[in-house]
Amino acid sequence: RVDALQLFETWLCHLPPHLLVEHVLPHLRLIVEEVRRWQVPLLLFSRGAHATHLARLEPTGVSVDHTVD
């Protein structure tokens, strides 16, 4: 058993928001929903951008790097 799972998505900062919403978030949502069934805390990480979009998926937490205000 693990204490938590962190999903790193380091290329999201290169996508405009409309492509993120259309092509990436639906797949990340499926991952979040599956991990939620495992009852394991899930942290989502995106380098440099889109933390608000990731938070809308309602993971346990969102982690960011030093470039995010």
Side-chain angles (χ1 to χ4, degrees):
R1 176 145 164 89
V2 299
D3 294 323
L5 179 67
Q6 183 165 7
L7 180 63
F8 288 85
E9 181 49 87
T10 57
W11 290 97
L12 286 184
C13 61
H14 298 287
L15 287 178
H18 73 279
L19 291 178
L20 172 78
V21 169
E22 184 177 346
H23 296 289
V24 178
L25 290 184
H27 300 285
L28 288 178
R29 181 174 305 283
L30 292 173
I31 293 169
V32 169
E33 290 171 357
E34 180 62 25
V35 173
R36 191 176 290 135
R37 289 178 8 150
W38 302 346
Q39 299 181 340
V40 172
L42 175 65
L43 304 170
L44 296 180
F45 171 83
S46 172
R47 183 170 51 103
H50 303 303
T52 303
H53 288 289
L54 295 180
R56 290 186 189 131
L57 298 175
E58 299 181 1
T60 308
V62 174
S63 51
V64 296
D65 68 354
H66 69 282
T67 63
V68 175
D69 291 333

